[in-house]
Each structure stands twice: as structure tokens, then as C-alpha cells.
């Protein structure tokens, strides 16, 4: 007979792994299988062979790469100086800049597109004030919205790379007569090159897989994300839609792989003996970087602020008087999508915390090839775009052959899709927190006669509590704002807020779309504040709880 501890570890590994296979592995296999189904009902590679003869698909593929590469270049050119300003300069009001960079993460991606339309569109504030008419739809509008959506992620990654600096290298360079520009070229840039590479591939992946901004502001500029939606929802060609999904999956997986290699190399460059660099004062540098940083932060705030402002406008842009009528939504089931989104997000966070905690504990306790395979499966979802994940759920859970159709159209399935869309980030965070639990503390509880429940309650949970809270709120907030992963899963009876924003905007109810967006931003911001308050409360009590 195996010991209770051994059985517990096996159960902790088995339950999340079975869930991974069922709600991640199976859907991915079904989307590949569906891509082999041709319009005449036969099986074959005809859909793949038709790709070169489909001009619209080739154009969408080329456009996706062009817009993604352009967004990546702009985010690096803009994000590197901003990250440098936050880490290596004496720029004033850094907290306000960090707050501004959080704003794009508090709302669905299409909010950036909406904000740019309110500012620069045909009926935008700029046209009304200047009288200069122009068309923001297409490449330039999509580029702007993608840049402001992906820029915060690039800045945070580059900041992490800059934070590993060792002041001794700079002191030695100064003694040898190197100028600040030479130090930048020969020390700073080489030391953070993996961070720059990591940021580049994250931005590229975020852009090429984003659906929200493209749906709002791309216009006739077709990209792969909108092409999948067109093939499935418009033409009902599920086979070709699956092929487009797989095409979208390949560059995302490749970029994620390269980004992870870069992250590991960057992590390995750190040293426990390093001496942190303290930013020195340089008036010309700080003024230049400060101007760039604060102008960018102001632009981000303006995009979100104009959406909030539009939600209080009576009839944009003809009657700009303030009103609350837009929040009295009498279409699209009123506030039902908001309540559904809250329910889905809480359910996603609860399921995620339980499954990720069990998996992180099981992986920590066991080693070997099987565990390495489970670990690889747990981090694989990060390379699957949300659109591909949502499309695969249609094939897996709306097919009577798999006996899981009872889940289709339910809030539970949407919650599971969101969970496995963000599974990698949650698992890595939970696994990192689990490694922080001291083995000596567990041994002490066990040696005093404590059973398994005492080890969990008195040794593991008190230490990992901040991590559990962080993972819970991370899954909750991402589930509140995600669009691409759920666009195919909503039904007339079960819709979510982000999809309602898109439908309201498509129907011309832009003020109501702004009102829904404002509610989402307020809810997610409140969740972030609550998370910080709870983590701040829990951490001072860890020592007492452990004792």
C-alpha cells in the first residue's frame, strides 16, 4: 500500500493533468482534425492546398506580418527609452507613468481602437476641433491601437532586463574613460539584449493574435484574426477557418519558444553578488526622457479617458451634453452580459486557483520524465492564440461524438476556455510561489505529529497565500477583459461584456459601447486595488501564521 502522502501527490498531479488533456489537448487535436474536412465532406489536405490560391487569405497573412512587425519596431523604439527612464533616470512623477501603463491592461483590447476613433476618427474630437478630415481606419489606425495596447508589456519586460544591472561594470568603464554613450552601447544594450528580444517576440505575438483592435479599427485592412472570424461566422467554412487558425498558431508558437529561450538566458545572467545601480542625475537626459515618457503616458490616458467621457455623452458627436442615459442599457439584454462576465470570471479564478495549486504542488514533489512532460503541457497554452483556443472549443464541445455537448453554450465552458487561455502564466506564478515554501517548515510540522492537513494549513498555505491571491485576481481580471478567446463561444443566452462592446459598436451604439467599457475598466481596477490591499494585509501576517 502506498502512503497517504504518495496518494495525495498522485491525485494532485492526475486531476489537473486530466483537465489539461480534456480542455486543452483535445480541443487542439480537434481543430487539426477539422482542418482536414473539405467542403464536399471528404477528408484530405485540400484546404491547405487551397491557401496559395486564396488571394484574400494571402493578403491577410501578409498584412498580419506587416502590422505585427511594424508594431514590434515601434514598441521597441518607444518602450526601451521609457523603460530606461523608469529604471535609470531621475524623471519626475514615475508612479503616474506606471499607473498610465497599467490602463491598457484594465480593458479589452478593442478599447484602444474605440479611444482612437473617438479622438482621430471622422467624428472624433480632433476633426471637430481642427476641421481637418482624414480616414483613421486601416493600417495606421490599427498600428496606433496595437502600439498602445502592447507597449506596456514591452516596457515591463525591458525594465526587468535593465533591473539586473551591476554598477561595478559602469564604475570600471568610467575609470577607463568611457563616455555615457559608450557605456550605453557597450554595457547596457549587450546586457539587456535578451530582454529586448523577449519584448519583441511578446509584442509580435500579442499583435498577430489580437482580434479586438482589428475588429474595431482595421476597416478593409484584413488580418488573420478577422479572417478566422469571417471564415467561421460569415462563410461557415469551418475547415478553412481551422486552417487559418493553424497558420496563426505557427508564428505564435515559434515566437513564444524564442521568447522563453531569451527569458531563460536573461535570468541566468543575474548574480546574487551584483551591486544594484542607482540612477544618477543628468538634466539633459532626464528632460528628454521625461518629455517622451510623460507624452506617451498622456496619450495612453487620453485614449482611455475619452472612452470614459464618451460613455457620459448624450449623442456622440452631435450632442455632447453629459448624461447617464448610456448606462441605462435597454438593448443586448441590458446588464446581463456584465453579470455573466462577473460570474464567468469568478468561476475561472476559483477553478484556476484550485487546479494550479494542485499541479504546482504535485510537480514540486515529484521528478522524472513524466513530470517534465506534464510541466511542458502546463506551459504550452501560452503559445495558442485566443481565437484558436475558442475555435477549437467549438469543434470539441459542439460535436456529439465527444459526448461533451452539454457544456456548449454554458458559462462554465467560457470560464474553462479563459482558464486554459491564461493557464501558463498562472501555473508559472503558482510554481514559483510553491518553490518559496521552506522544506524545513514542512518537516517541522510533520515531526511534531502534524498530518497532511496540518502541513498544508500551517506550512504551505501561509507562505503561498500572496501567490494564491495574485493568481486568483490575475485570472479574474484577464477573464473580465478577454475577447478573442470567447468570441466564438457566446450565445444569445450567454454573452459576455467584451463581446457586447464589440456588438454595440458594430450596431452604431458607440456611447453604449463606451459605457460598457467604462464598467469593465472600473470593475477590473477595483479588483486590482482589492488584490493589492489583500496581499499587503497577508504578507505581514505570514510570520505569525507560520509560527
Amino acid at each position: 500500500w502506498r502512503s497517504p502522502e504518495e496518494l495525495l501527490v498522485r491525485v494532485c498531479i492526475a486531476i489537473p493533468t486530466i483537465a489539461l488533456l480534456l480542455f486543452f489537448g483535445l480541443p487542439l487535436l480537434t481543430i487539426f482534425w477539422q482542418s482536414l474536412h473539405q467542403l464536399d465532406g471528404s477528408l484530405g489536405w485540400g484546404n491547405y492546398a487551397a491557401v496559395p490560391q486564396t488571394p484574400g487569405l494571402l493578403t491577410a497573412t501578409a498584412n498580419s506580418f506587416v502590422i505585427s512587425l511594424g508594431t514590434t519596431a515601434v514598441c521597441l523604439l518607444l518602450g526601451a527609452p521609457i523603460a530606461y527612464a523608469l529604471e535609470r533616470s531621475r524623471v519626475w512623477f514615475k508612479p503616474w507613468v506606471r499607473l498610465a501603463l497599467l490602463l491598457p491592461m484594465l480593458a479589452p483590447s478593442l478599447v484602444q481602437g474605440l479611444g482612437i476613433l473617438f479622438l482621430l476618427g471622422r467624428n472624433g474630437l480632433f476633426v471637430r476641433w481642427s476641421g481637418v478630415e482624414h480616414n483613421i481606419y486601416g493600417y495606421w489606425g490599427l498600428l496606433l491601437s496595437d502600439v498602445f495596447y502592447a507597449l506596456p508589456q514591452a516596457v515591463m519586460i525591458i525594465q526587468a532586463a535593465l533591473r539586473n544591472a551591476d554598477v561595478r561594470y559602469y564604475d570600471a568603464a568610467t575609470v577607463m574613460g568611457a563616455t555615457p554613450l559608450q557605456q550605453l552601447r557597450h554595457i547596457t544594450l549587450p546586457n539587456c539584449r535578451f530582454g529586448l528580444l523577449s519584448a519583441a517576440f511578446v509584442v509580435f505575438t500579442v499583435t498577430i493574435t489580437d482580434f479586438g483592435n482589428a475588429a474595431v479599427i482595421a476597416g478593409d485592412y484584413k488580418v488573420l484574426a478577422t479572417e478566422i472570424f469571417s471564415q467561421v461566422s460569415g462563410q461557415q467554412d469551418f475547415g478553412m477557418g481551422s486552417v487559418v487558425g493553424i497558420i496563426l498558431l505557427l508564428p505564435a508558437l515559434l515566437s513564444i519558444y524564442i521568447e522563453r529561450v531569451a527569458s531563460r538566458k536573461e535570468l541566468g545572467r543575474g548574480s546574487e553578488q551584483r551591486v544594484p545601480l542607482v540612477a544618477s542625475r543628468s538634466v539633459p537626459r532626464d528632460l528628454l526622457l521625461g518629455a517622451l515618457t510623460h507624452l506617451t503616458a498622456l496619450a495612453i490616458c487620453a485614449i482611455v479617458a475619452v472612452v470614459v467621457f464618451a460613455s457620459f455623452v448624450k449623442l456622440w458627436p452631435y450632442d455632447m451634453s453629459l448624461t447617464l442615459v448610456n448606462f441605462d442599457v435597454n438593448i443586448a439584454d441590458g446588464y446581463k452580459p456584465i453579470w455573466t462576465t462577473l460570474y464567468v470570471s469568478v468561476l475561472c479564478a476559483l477553478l484556476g486557483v484550485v487546479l494550479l495549486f494542485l499541479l504546482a504542488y504535485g510537480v514540486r514533489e515529484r521528478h522524472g520524465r513524466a513530470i517534465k512532460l506534464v510541466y511542458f503541457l502546463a506551459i504550452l497554452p501560452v503559445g495558442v492564440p485566443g481565437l484558436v483556443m475558442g475555435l477549437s472549443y467549438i469543434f470539441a464541445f459542439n460535436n456529439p461524438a465527444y459526448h461533451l455537448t452539454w457544456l456548449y453554450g454554458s458559462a462554465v465552458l467560457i470560464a474553462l476556455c479563459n482558464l486554459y487561455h491564461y493557464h501558463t502564466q498562472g501555473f508559472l506564478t503558482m510554481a514559483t510561489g510553491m518553490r518559496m515554501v521552506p522544506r524545513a517548515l514542512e518537516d517541522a510540522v510533520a515531526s511534531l505529529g502534524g498530518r497532511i492537513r496540518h502541513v498544508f494549513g500551517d506550512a504551505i498555505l501561509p507562505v503561498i497565500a500572496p501567490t494564491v491571491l495574485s493568481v486568483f485576481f490575475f485570472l479574474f481580471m484577464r477573464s473580465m477583459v478577454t475577447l478573442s478567446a470567447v468570441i466564438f463561444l457566446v450565445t444569445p443566452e450567454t454573452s459576455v461584456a467584451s463581446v457586447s462592446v464589440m456588438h454595440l459598436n458594430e450596431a452604431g451604439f458607440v456611447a453604449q459601447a463606451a459605457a460598457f467599457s467604462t464598467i469593465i475598466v472600473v470593475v477590473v481596477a477595483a479588483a486590482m486595488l482589492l488584490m493589492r490591499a489583500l496581499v499587503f494585509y497577508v504578507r505581514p501576517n505570514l510570520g505569525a501564521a507560520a509560527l
Side-chain angles (χ1 to χ4, degrees), residues 289-366:
L289 290 178
L292 175 66
T293 300
H294 289 295
L295 284 175
T296 303
L298 186 62
I300 293 174
C301 290
I303 289 172
V304 177
V306 74
V307 174
V308 175
F309 172 71
S311 66
F312 293 97
V313 169
K314 190 170 185 180
L315 182 61
W316 184 281
Y318 307 105
D319 186 351
M320 304 292 280
S321 57
L322 300 181
T323 179
L324 293 175
V325 70
N326 297 318
F327 291 89
D328 184 18
V329 181
N330 54 13
I331 59 174
D333 295 324
Y335 282 105
K336 183 180 177 182
I338 295 289
W339 295 113
T340 301
T341 305
L342 285 169
Y343 172 69
V344 165
S345 301
V346 171
L347 184 60
C348 171
L350 289 173
L351 287 173
V353 162
V354 173
L355 291 173
L356 293 171
F357 179 88
L358 294 178
L359 186 59
Y361 175 77
V363 169
R364 174 177 177 259
E365 296 297 318
R366 287 292 176 268

Side-chain angles (χ1 to χ4, degrees), residues 31-40 42-54 57 231 237-244 247:
I31 196 173
F32 174 74
W33 178 247
Q34 187 66 38
S35 70
L36 301 178
H37 285 71
Q38 303 175 97
L39 283 176
D40 60 2
S42 62
L43 293 176
W45 301 95
N47 291 323
Y48 291 91
V51 170
Q53 285 77 42
T54 309
L57 182 54
Q231 292 286 344
D237 189 347
F238 294 100
M240 186 57 73
S242 301
V243 172
V244 178
I247 293 174

Side-chain angles (χ1 to χ4, degrees), residues 471-487:
V471 171
F472 177 90
F473 282 101
F474 167 78
L475 292 173
F476 174 84
M477 291 186 288
R478 298 316 301 168
S479 184
M480 282 292 302
V481 303
T482 190
L483 172 64
S484 59
V486 300
I487 187 65

Side-chain angles (χ1 to χ4, degrees), residues 57-229:
L57 182 54
L58 293 178
T59 301
T61 302
N63 288 347
S64 292
F65 277 90
V66 169
I67 195 70
S68 299
L69 291 173
T71 303
T72 301
V74 174
C75 284
L76 288 182
L77 292 174
L78 192 58
I82 294 175
Y84 191 91
L86 294 174
E87 290 295 324
R88 301 282 186 88
S89 76
R90 297 285 187 90
V91 170
W92 290 356
F93 305 117
K94 289 182 182 180
W96 123 266
V97 176
R98 294 189 178 97
L99 178 62
L101 290 172
L102 285 176
L103 290 178
M105 302 180 186
L106 302 182
S109 61
L110 55 80
V111 168
Q112 277 70 40
L114 280 176
I116 290 173
L117 287 180
F118 286 137
L119 287 172
L120 304 175
R122 297 187 186 97
N123 294 319
L125 296 179
F126 178 79
V127 173
R128 290 177 60 83
W129 291 340
S130 66
V132 179
E133 295 188 6
H134 58 279
N135 182 17
I136 195 61
Y137 288 96
Y139 174 81
W140 293 108
L142 184 57
L143 178 67
L144 274 176
S145 56
D146 281 342
V147 164
F148 285 115
Y149 177 59
L151 180 64
Q153 299 180 61
V155 171
M156 288 190 292
I157 294 171
I158 300 172
Q159 271 189 270
L162 290 171
R163 207 170 289 136
N164 287 328
D166 193 330
V167 71
R168 292 174 294 183
Y169 291 109
Y170 293 90
D171 291 341
T174 302
V175 171
M176 296 174 66
T179 64
L181 183 59
Q182 289 175 323
Q183 294 180 26
L184 176 66
R185 289 176 54 194
H186 298 292
I187 302 178
T188 303
L189 290 179
N191 283 339
C192 68
R193 65 184 183 275
F194 291 116
L196 292 169
L197 182 63
S198 179
F201 281 104
V202 167
V203 172
F204 180 87
T205 303
V206 166
T207 304
I208 201 171
T209 61
D210 179 64
F211 174 75
N213 284 322
V216 170
I217 204 171
D220 294 331
Y221 191 83
K222 302 299 182 183
V223 293
L224 283 173
T226 54
E227 187 65 19
I228 293 179
F229 189 75

